[in-house]
Amino acid sequence: MTYIIAECGINHNGDMSLALKLIDAAVKAKADAVKFQLYKSELLVPEGEKREMLRQYQLSPVQMRTLHSYCHQYGIEFLCTPFDIDSVDALEKLVKTYKIGSGQANDIMFLDHVASKEKPIILSTGMSDFADIRHVLGALDMPVTLLHCVSLYPTPPEKANLQRMIQMQESFAAPIGYSDHTEGIDIALAAVALGAVVIEKHLTLDKSMPGPDHKASITPDELVALVAGARRIEAALEPL
Protein backbone atom coordinates (compact mmCIF):
# COMPACT_ATOMS: atom_id res chain seq x y z
CA MET A 1 0.00 0.00 0.00
CA THR A 2 1.03 3.60 -0.54
CA TYR A 3 2.57 4.93 2.67
CA ILE A 4 0.75 8.16 3.53
CA ILE A 5 2.53 10.76 5.66
CA ALA A 6 0.55 13.57 7.28
CA GLU A 7 3.14 16.33 7.32
CA CYS A 8 2.38 18.46 10.38
CA GLY A 9 5.66 20.33 9.93
CA ILE A 10 5.31 23.60 11.82
CA ASN A 11 1.53 23.82 11.36
CA HIS A 12 1.21 23.49 15.14
CA ASN A 13 2.56 27.08 15.28
CA GLY A 14 4.58 26.19 18.36
CA ASP A 15 1.54 25.05 20.36
CA MET A 16 1.80 21.50 21.72
CA SER A 17 -1.97 21.22 22.10
CA LEU A 18 -2.32 21.88 18.35
CA ALA A 19 0.43 19.36 17.63
CA LEU A 20 -1.46 16.68 19.55
CA LYS A 21 -4.69 17.56 17.71
CA LEU A 22 -2.87 17.15 14.39
CA ILE A 23 -1.81 13.67 15.47
CA ASP A 24 -5.41 12.91 16.45
CA ALA A 25 -6.56 13.98 12.98
CA ALA A 26 -3.97 11.78 11.27
CA VAL A 27 -4.95 8.79 13.41
CA LYS A 28 -8.64 9.32 12.63
CA ALA A 29 -7.87 9.50 8.90
CA LYS A 30 -5.84 6.25 9.11
CA ALA A 31 -2.67 7.86 7.78
CA ASP A 32 0.44 5.73 8.18
CA ALA A 33 2.61 8.40 9.82
CA VAL A 34 2.71 11.95 11.08
CA LYS A 35 5.79 14.09 10.59
CA PHE A 36 7.14 17.12 12.40
CA GLN A 37 10.29 19.23 12.00
CA LEU A 38 13.18 19.67 14.44
CA TYR A 39 15.46 22.64 13.86
CA LYS A 40 17.29 25.55 15.41
CA SER A 41 16.00 28.78 13.90
CA GLU A 42 19.37 30.52 14.28
CA LEU A 43 20.96 27.89 12.03
CA LEU A 44 18.23 27.94 9.40
CA VAL A 45 17.87 31.57 8.34
CA PRO A 46 19.62 34.92 8.84
CA GLU A 47 18.51 37.17 11.67
CA GLY A 48 15.26 38.92 10.88
CA GLU A 49 11.49 38.53 10.71
CA LYS A 50 11.54 34.98 9.29
CA ARG A 51 13.93 33.75 11.97
CA GLU A 52 11.68 35.19 14.68
CA MET A 53 8.65 33.42 13.16
CA LEU A 54 10.53 30.11 13.02
CA ARG A 55 11.78 30.60 16.58
CA GLN A 56 8.20 30.97 17.80
CA TYR A 57 7.16 27.82 15.94
CA GLN A 58 10.08 25.56 16.84
CA LEU A 59 9.64 22.63 19.22
CA SER A 60 12.35 21.17 21.45
CA PRO A 61 13.75 17.62 21.53
CA VAL A 62 11.91 17.11 24.83
CA GLN A 63 8.62 18.06 23.16
CA MET A 64 9.43 15.70 20.29
CA ARG A 65 9.75 12.86 22.80
CA THR A 66 6.26 13.73 24.06
CA LEU A 67 4.88 13.65 20.52
CA HIS A 68 6.64 10.36 19.84
CA SER A 69 5.06 8.80 22.94
CA TYR A 70 1.64 10.08 21.92
CA CYS A 71 2.04 8.58 18.43
CA HIS A 72 3.14 5.27 19.93
CA GLN A 73 0.10 5.28 22.23
CA TYR A 74 -2.26 5.65 19.26
CA GLY A 75 -0.46 3.34 16.85
CA ILE A 76 0.78 5.78 14.23
CA GLU A 77 4.42 6.15 13.18
CA PHE A 78 6.26 9.25 14.35
CA LEU A 79 8.52 10.89 11.77
CA CYS A 80 10.50 14.09 12.04
CA THR A 81 12.74 16.00 9.65
CA PRO A 82 16.02 17.20 11.19
CA PHE A 83 17.68 20.31 9.83
CA ASP A 84 21.04 20.12 11.64
CA ILE A 85 23.43 17.56 13.10
CA ASP A 86 22.23 18.00 16.69
CA SER A 87 18.65 17.40 15.58
CA VAL A 88 19.69 14.20 13.77
CA ASP A 89 21.24 12.97 17.02
CA ALA A 90 18.25 13.99 19.13
CA LEU A 91 15.91 11.97 16.90
CA GLU A 92 18.00 8.80 16.79
CA LYS A 93 15.95 6.94 19.41
CA LEU A 94 12.62 8.38 18.25
CA VAL A 95 12.46 7.54 14.54
CA LYS A 96 12.71 4.31 12.57
CA THR A 97 13.23 6.27 9.35
CA TYR A 98 14.77 9.69 8.73
CA LYS A 99 12.80 12.02 6.45
CA ILE A 100 15.08 14.61 4.86
CA GLY A 101 13.77 17.73 3.18
CA SER A 102 14.79 19.14 -0.19
CA GLY A 103 17.01 21.79 1.38
CA GLN A 104 19.39 19.17 2.79
CA ALA A 105 19.10 16.68 -0.10
CA ASN A 106 22.48 17.62 -1.64
CA ASP A 107 24.42 18.12 1.60
CA ILE A 108 26.56 14.99 1.53
CA MET A 109 28.26 15.70 4.88
CA PHE A 110 24.86 16.05 6.55
CA LEU A 111 23.49 12.96 4.77
CA ASP A 112 26.55 10.94 5.77
CA HIS A 113 25.78 11.74 9.40
CA VAL A 114 22.15 10.71 8.92
CA ALA A 115 23.28 7.47 7.27
CA SER A 116 25.60 6.75 10.19
CA LYS A 117 22.48 6.09 12.28
CA GLU A 118 21.83 3.05 10.05
CA LYS A 119 18.18 3.82 9.45
CA PRO A 120 16.32 4.05 6.11
CA ILE A 121 16.03 7.51 4.57
CA ILE A 122 13.14 9.19 2.76
CA LEU A 123 14.56 12.03 0.67
CA SER A 124 12.68 14.88 -0.99
CA THR A 125 14.26 16.08 -4.23
CA GLY A 126 12.67 19.47 -4.86
CA MET A 127 16.07 21.15 -5.22
CA SER A 128 17.91 18.30 -6.97
CA ASP A 129 18.46 17.42 -10.61
CA PHE A 130 19.02 13.83 -11.72
CA ALA A 131 22.81 14.19 -11.52
CA ASP A 132 22.46 15.33 -7.90
CA ILE A 133 20.23 12.35 -7.11
CA ARG A 134 22.67 9.87 -8.68
CA HIS A 135 25.51 11.40 -6.68
CA VAL A 136 23.59 11.08 -3.41
CA LEU A 137 22.49 7.50 -4.10
CA GLY A 138 26.07 6.56 -4.92
CA ALA A 139 27.36 8.17 -1.74
CA LEU A 140 24.90 6.59 0.70
CA ASP A 141 25.14 2.91 1.64
CA MET A 142 21.62 2.94 3.04
CA PRO A 143 18.09 2.25 1.71
CA VAL A 144 16.75 5.51 0.25
CA THR A 145 13.21 6.29 -0.91
CA LEU A 146 13.09 9.30 -3.25
CA LEU A 147 10.20 11.75 -3.29
CA HIS A 148 9.48 13.86 -6.33
CA CYS A 149 8.80 17.32 -5.00
CA VAL A 150 8.26 20.86 -6.26
CA SER A 151 9.55 23.44 -3.79
CA LEU A 152 6.75 25.93 -4.37
CA TYR A 153 4.10 26.62 -1.72
CA PRO A 154 1.43 26.16 -2.90
CA THR A 155 2.32 24.46 -6.19
CA PRO A 156 -0.08 25.22 -9.09
CA PRO A 157 -1.29 21.94 -10.67
CA GLU A 158 0.37 22.80 -13.97
CA LYS A 159 3.71 22.97 -12.13
CA ALA A 160 3.35 19.61 -10.35
CA ASN A 161 5.24 17.80 -13.14
CA LEU A 162 4.17 14.25 -12.28
CA GLN A 163 5.98 13.12 -15.42
CA ARG A 164 9.18 13.69 -13.46
CA MET A 165 8.06 11.11 -10.91
CA ILE A 166 7.62 8.63 -13.76
CA GLN A 167 11.07 9.50 -15.10
CA MET A 168 12.50 8.91 -11.61
CA GLN A 169 10.82 5.49 -11.50
CA GLU A 170 12.53 4.63 -14.79
CA SER A 171 15.91 6.11 -13.88
CA PHE A 172 16.68 5.05 -10.31
CA ALA A 173 16.79 1.70 -8.53
CA ALA A 174 14.95 3.13 -5.54
CA PRO A 175 11.33 3.38 -4.43
CA ILE A 176 9.74 6.60 -5.69
CA GLY A 177 7.01 8.68 -4.04
CA TYR A 178 5.64 12.20 -4.11
CA SER A 179 5.72 15.09 -1.64
CA ASP A 180 2.74 17.17 -2.70
CA HIS A 181 2.44 20.93 -2.21
CA THR A 182 -0.60 21.51 -4.43
CA GLU A 183 -3.92 22.55 -2.92
CA GLY A 184 -6.51 19.79 -2.51
CA ILE A 185 -5.99 16.06 -2.91
CA ASP A 186 -6.52 15.34 -6.61
CA ILE A 187 -2.86 15.64 -7.65
CA ALA A 188 -1.77 13.39 -4.79
CA LEU A 189 -4.35 10.80 -5.84
CA ALA A 190 -3.06 11.00 -9.42
CA ALA A 191 0.41 10.23 -8.06
CA VAL A 192 -0.97 7.16 -6.26
CA ALA A 193 -2.46 5.95 -9.55
CA LEU A 194 0.95 6.47 -11.20
CA GLY A 195 2.65 4.23 -8.66
CA ALA A 196 3.89 6.49 -5.85
CA VAL A 197 4.95 4.31 -2.92
CA VAL A 198 4.85 7.27 -0.51
CA ILE A 199 2.60 10.32 -0.43
CA GLU A 200 3.52 13.21 1.85
CA LYS A 201 0.92 15.92 2.34
CA HIS A 202 0.86 18.91 4.69
CA LEU A 203 -1.93 18.81 7.28
CA THR A 204 -3.50 21.79 9.03
CA LEU A 205 -6.42 22.29 11.38
CA ASP A 206 -7.26 25.61 9.72
CA LYS A 207 -5.95 26.93 6.39
CA SER A 208 -6.46 30.54 7.57
CA MET A 209 -4.02 30.25 10.47
CA PRO A 210 -0.84 32.35 10.35
CA GLY A 211 2.24 30.53 9.12
CA PRO A 212 3.97 29.68 5.83
CA ASP A 213 2.50 26.23 5.11
CA HIS A 214 -1.19 26.34 6.04
CA LYS A 215 -2.43 27.48 2.62
CA ALA A 216 -0.72 24.55 0.85
CA SER A 217 -2.06 22.08 3.43
CA ILE A 218 -5.18 19.95 3.63
CA THR A 219 -7.74 19.80 6.42
CA PRO A 220 -8.51 16.72 8.52
CA ASP A 221 -11.59 15.99 6.37
CA GLU A 222 -9.47 16.21 3.21
CA LEU A 223 -6.93 13.83 4.75
CA VAL A 224 -9.72 11.33 5.41
CA ALA A 225 -10.71 11.62 1.74
CA LEU A 226 -7.09 11.30 0.58
CA VAL A 227 -6.44 8.09 2.52
CA ALA A 228 -9.77 6.56 1.50
CA GLY A 229 -9.22 7.56 -2.12
CA ALA A 230 -5.73 6.11 -2.18
CA ARG A 231 -7.00 2.79 -0.85
CA ARG A 232 -9.77 2.70 -3.49
CA ILE A 233 -7.21 3.37 -6.24
CA GLU A 234 -4.98 0.61 -4.91
CA ALA A 235 -7.92 -1.80 -4.92
CA ALA A 236 -8.76 -0.84 -8.50
CA LEU A 237 -5.18 -1.53 -9.59
CA GLU A 238 -5.15 -5.04 -8.13
CA PRO A 239 -5.16 -7.71 -10.87
CA LEU A 240 -8.21 -9.97 -11.06
Side-chain angles (χ1 to χ4, degrees):
M1 293 196 306
T2 304
Y3 188 79
I4 298 178
I5 302 170
E7 160 66 300
C8 301
I10 58 171
N11 279 350
H12 48 73
N13 286 11
D15 184 334
M16 279 292 284
S17 66
L18 290 181
L20 295 174
K21 288 178 181 177
L22 285 164
I23 295 172
D24 289 339
V27 170
K28 182 179 179 180
K30 300 181 180 180
D32 296 291
V34 290
K35 188 179 81 68
F36 294 90
Q37 297 176 5
L38 185 60
Y39 61 86
K40 297 178 180 179
S41 57
E42 66 272 17
L43 299 179
L44 264 186
V45 293
E47 187 173 354
E49 184 177 342
K50 186 174 182 181
R51 180 192 287 186
E52 178 58 23
M53 179 270 292
L54 290 173
R55 186 192 65 77
Q56 292 176 7
Y57 291 175
Q58 73 185 28
L59 298 178
S60 70
V62 171
Q63 289 171 310
M64 289 300 170
R65 289 198 290 272
T66 298
L67 296 177
H68 169 267
S69 296
Y70 195 78
C71 288
H72 181 74
Q73 179 181 350
Y74 288 97
I76 191 168
E77 185 168 2
F78 171 84
L79 294 174
C80 187
T81 293
F83 286 83
D84 54 76
I85 296 297
D86 287 346
S87 296
V88 173
D89 294 342
L91 292 171
E92 183 174 5
K93 295 182 179 180
L94 302 182
V95 299
K96 296 178 181 177
T97 299
Y98 279 99
K99 169 58 177 61
I100 305 303
S102 295
Q104 281 71 42
N106 298 320
D107 186 340
I108 296 298
M109 184 177 298
F110 176 78
L111 292 174
D112 277 343
H113 189 73
V114 175
S116 74
K117 305 303 181 181
E118 299 184 339
K119 297 175 186 286
I121 295 170
I122 300 174
L123 187 70
S124 286
T125 61
M127 297 182 183
S128 305
D129 59 27
F130 277 27
D132 294 327
I133 295 171
R134 289 191 186 93
H135 180 60
V136 166
L137 291 178
L140 297 179
D141 184 21
M142 190 60 54
V144 178
T145 297
L146 301 171
L147 301 188
H148 166 51
C149 177
V150 178
S151 296
L152 186 61
Y153 299 80
T155 301
E158 62 272 17
K159 299 288 187 180
N161 193 17
L162 290 185
Q163 286 294 328
R164 188 175 191 268
M165 188 186 78
I166 297 172
Q167 292 166 356
M168 290 171 67
Q169 291 168 337
E170 296 170 346
S171 300
F172 302 112
I176 308 296
Y178 178 48
S179 181
D180 183 29
H181 299 146
T182 65
E183 297 181 78
I185 66 172
D186 51 345
I187 307 303
L189 289 174
V192 173
L194 290 172
V197 300
V198 174
I199 292 291
E200 180 181 62
K201 190 73 177 174
H202 280 270
L203 175 66
T204 182
L205 299 176
D206 184 348
K207 294 182 184 183
S208 67
M209 290 177 69
D213 296 333
H214 292 284
K215 184 174 173 56
S217 302
I218 57 174
T219 64
D221 286 345
E222 288 176 307
L223 180 60
V224 170
L226 172 61
V227 175
R231 303 308 176 223
R232 283 171 56 83
I233 290 169
E234 290 162 353
L237 290 172
E238 284 291 322
L240 294 177

